[in-house]
Amino acid sequence: MASSTTTSTMRAIVQDKYGSADVLRHDRIARPEISGDEILVRVHAAGLDRGTWHLMTGKPYLLRLAMGLRGPRNPVPGRDVAGTVEAIGPEVTKFAVGDEVYGVAPGSFAEYAVARESKLARKPANLSFEQAAVVPISALTAQDAVTVGRVQAGQHVLISGASGGVGSYAVQLAKALGAEVTGVASTAKLDLVQALGADHVIDYTREDFTATGNRYDVIIDIAGNPSLSRLRRALTPTGTAVVTGGEEGGSLTGGMNRQLGFLIVSLFIRQRLTMVLNKESGSNLERLTALIEAGQVTPTVDRTYPLDQAPDAMRHLAAGKARGKVAITI
């Protein structure tokens, strides 16, 4: 294993049980070890996303079957990462110590995190570490949504939750493909959605996009609230609805029941109702890197917080106040 440091401990945010941001604490723990195709990343910044919030709270409860019944098996939260390669396992071939990388590394709210080689890509040259850290999970989800939705030039595409993490990337990716984009957001965030490149904006506090009479070729439903009948009403007869979440789905299964229901109904109608299965891979990140370096996609960083203030960052995210993304700096 190649390495540039012998430090055996590190600062990290840890949690012993599921709950609100109050369960998070700043502590010093053992630095993780690596083997095989694993890479030790010296974390410069980590991103927040709704998935990190779900893993912190343990909701929906179905998640706990995989993550730990009484508490998280990995006590360090965070998954988005941007940093430099500190050490590499013997099977790593694409990266060397000192490379600047970004990607997915469970436990990224710490000075060091471990990532599989296949989950990393070289950091875009035109981004800071804070900007790069807020790209991976949200942008990969958005990329999968426009791919599954088969977004094409000239189509009318509506994106709900357009001011959030996934939505802010979905707007830009749909525009990069040549679509005419309508973004749905709250009053205070409409200016952000316009700045992202949306052709039209809808204030959901004043207008229901499913009741306007407009029909869309593709709807990317990130907010996760409209019923099936309402979504279908806003689609063209052969349009596609892509469901990426479901925050209103309850504590047991979250939005999974809703998504599976859509898939079943889709078998019997002309409209396509489908869902996102995010492929967190370095090769997909490289596709995003090309768009970022070409200026077609730009991360929106709402706020940055130092590592010891990660609980405050999580509260800001949970309150729905974030305009775009939030980053933790180390």
Side-chain angles (χ1 to χ4, degrees):
M1 177 181 74
S3 177
S4 62
T5 184
T6 57
T7 305
S8 60
T9 64
M10 66 179 185
R11 294 187 301 120
I13 297 296
V14 297
Q15 67 176 105
D16 303 313
K17 59 184 179 180
Y18 296 116
S20 68
D22 295 337
V23 304
L24 303 178
R25 72 178 192 279
H26 187 232
D27 205 348
R28 182 165 284 276
I29 63 174
R31 200 184 75 173
E33 300 290 332
I34 61 171
S35 62
D37 65 346
E38 293 176 332
I39 294 173
L40 184 68
V41 178
R42 183 180 181 89
V43 182
H44 295 302
L48 272 69
D49 67 289
R50 291 298 297 187
T52 302
W53 179 86
H54 284 295
L55 295 175
M56 178 188 73
T57 61
K59 294 180 179 178
Y61 294 127
L62 196 61
L63 278 176
R64 301 188 185 191
L65 295 177
M67 309 311 298
L69 291 177
R70 296 184 179 276
R73 293 192 183 97
N74 182 356
V76 182
R79 301 184 70 230
D80 278 328
V81 72
T84 54
V85 174
E86 186 76 9
I88 60 174
E91 298 174 15
V92 172
T93 60
K94 294 182 180 179
F95 301 100
V97 171
D99 285 348
E100 296 184 348
V101 295
Y102 77 136
V104 180
S108 61
F109 288 7
E111 290 183 296
Y112 299 92
V114 175
R116 299 279 298 275
E117 181 179 31
S118 62
K119 301 287 187 178
L120 294 177
R122 283 176 172 77
K123 182 180 75 68
N126 58 336
L127 295 188
S128 66
F129 284 108
E130 291 80 8
Q131 290 174 306
V134 302
V135 172
I137 293 175
S138 292
L140 285 171
T141 301
Q143 181 178 251
D144 195 45
V146 298
T147 300
V148 170
R150 302 171 187 169
V151 174
Q152 299 176 21
Q155 287 186 322
H156 294 267
V157 177
L158 180 135
I159 298 167
S160 68
S163 63
V166 176
S168 61
Y169 290 112
V171 169
Q172 296 178 80
L173 289 168
K175 285 299 298 178
L177 290 169
E180 182 174 329
V181 177
T182 298
V184 181
S186 63
T187 310
K189 299 176 182 179
L190 293 180
D191 60 330
L192 169 63
V193 179
Q194 289 176 315
L196 291 169
D199 301 285
H200 315 283
V201 293
I202 295 176
D203 182 348
Y204 72 77
T205 69
R206 299 179 179 179
E207 190 173 20
D208 178 359
F209 76 82
T210 69
T212 63
N214 294 326
R215 298 291 179 265
Y216 301 93
D217 300 296
V218 180
I219 295 176
I220 299 177
D221 174 31
I222 300 165
N225 296 326
S227 66
L228 172 59
S229 59
R230 288 172 60 209
L231 272 182
R232 290 192 61 198
R233 194 162 60 236
L235 281 175
T236 61
T238 56
T240 297
V242 183
V243 181
T244 70
E247 300 302 329
E248 305 297 323
S251 295
L252 181 60
T253 61
M256 285 180 275
N257 280 348
R258 178 172 178 265
Q259 294 178 25
L260 291 174
F262 278 25
L263 292 178
I264 293 171
V265 172
S266 187
L267 297 174
F268 304 98
I269 60 176
R270 293 175 65 202
Q271 293 165 324
R272 285 181 69 235
L273 309 174
T274 187
M275 58 190 287
V276 166
L277 294 173
N278 187 5
K279 303 174 183 65
E280 297 171 350
S281 71
S283 58
N284 285 340
L285 271 174
E286 288 167 359
R287 291 170 53 200
L288 286 169
T289 299
L291 292 169
I292 290 168
E293 293 183 339
Q296 292 182 289
V297 173
T298 302
T300 300
V301 180
D302 174 51
R303 293 187 185 182
T304 61
Y305 293 79
L307 181 63
D308 61 356
Q309 293 179 22
D312 292 331
M314 195 68 78
R315 293 184 187 101
H316 181 69
L317 175 73
K321 296 179 180 179
R323 293 164 55 92
K325 298 284 295 182
V326 177
I328 303 293
T329 58
I330 295 93

